[in-house]
Amino acid sequence: MSMQDSISDMLTCIRNAQIAKKKKIIIYYTKFKHSILNVIYSEGYIKKFNIFLNSKKKSIIIYLKYYFNKPVITLIKRISRPGLRIYKSCKNLPLIKSGLGIVIISTSKGVLSDKKARILNVGGEVICYIF
């Protein structure tokens, strides 16, 4: 069975690992996953992530973050998918929980959070919501 949407798989792995209170997960590497994880890390939703070479394939170890034994990520939802791409302009970017959550967007300037996209005045494809 081939993998159609590796981003959805990564987000589901993070969601399931946080429910199971895992400390770390291992996923396969892609440049797009790496750039999404950079945004998630810079916003403080994961502790860290490392890239390593495992039997001719690159992998990523994601160290999950908890606060008083509760997961920091309470909601992680994929929005744009291969069958239905969702694009928003800078002015139409949604606010998640009145600005407490983030929206990850793939723009012409790279993968950004909604806050940085508003500062740079760029829109793009809405990848996911995180709260």
Side-chain angles (χ1 to χ4, degrees):
M1 183 172 173
S2 66
M3 176 78 59
Q4 295 296 320
D5 190 8
S6 63
I7 303 304
S8 289
D9 183 55
M10 176 184 74
L11 298 176
T12 301
C13 285
I14 292 172
R15 183 184 319 113
N16 291 342
Q18 292 235 304
I19 290 169
K21 304 222 187 255
K22 300 280 186 182
K23 292 184 180 182
K24 64 181 179 178
I25 58 171
I26 300 173
I27 58 172
Y28 288 114
Y29 174 87
T30 64
K31 289 180 185 177
F32 196 52
K33 286 181 187 178
H34 183 250
S35 56
I36 289 172
L37 287 172
N38 274 331
V39 173
I40 295 172
Y41 173 72
S42 67
E43 294 291 331
Y45 286 99
I46 58 174
K47 280 185 188 176
K48 63 179 179 175
F49 66 96
N50 295 327
I51 300 167
F52 71 97
L53 188 64
N54 185 14
S55 68
K56 300 180 186 176
K57 286 191 175 183
K58 280 187 179 179
S59 296
I60 304 173
I61 299 178
I62 303 170
Y63 295 92
L64 301 172
K65 194 174 189 180
Y66 296 92
Y67 184 72
F68 290 115
N69 282 338
K70 294 197 176 194
V72 172
I73 298 173
T74 57
L75 170 79
I76 187 165
K77 185 177 179 184
R78 176 86 156 126
I79 302 303
S80 187
R81 56 186 209 271
L84 178 65
R85 303 287 185 185
I86 306 293
Y87 296 94
K88 299 283 182 177
S89 67
C90 175
K91 295 173 185 166
N92 295 330
L93 290 175
L95 281 176
I96 305 301
K97 299 285 185 175
S98 300
L100 294 176
I102 63 167
V103 179
I104 297 179
I105 305 155
S106 177
T107 68
S108 58
K109 310 262 182 189
V111 178
L112 303 171
S113 68
D114 60 332
K115 296 167 190 162
K116 289 183 182 174
R118 283 188 183 95
I119 291 169
L120 296 173
N121 198 24
V122 292
E125 181 183 352
V126 179
I127 304 299
C128 64
Y129 298 156
I130 297 179
F131 174 70

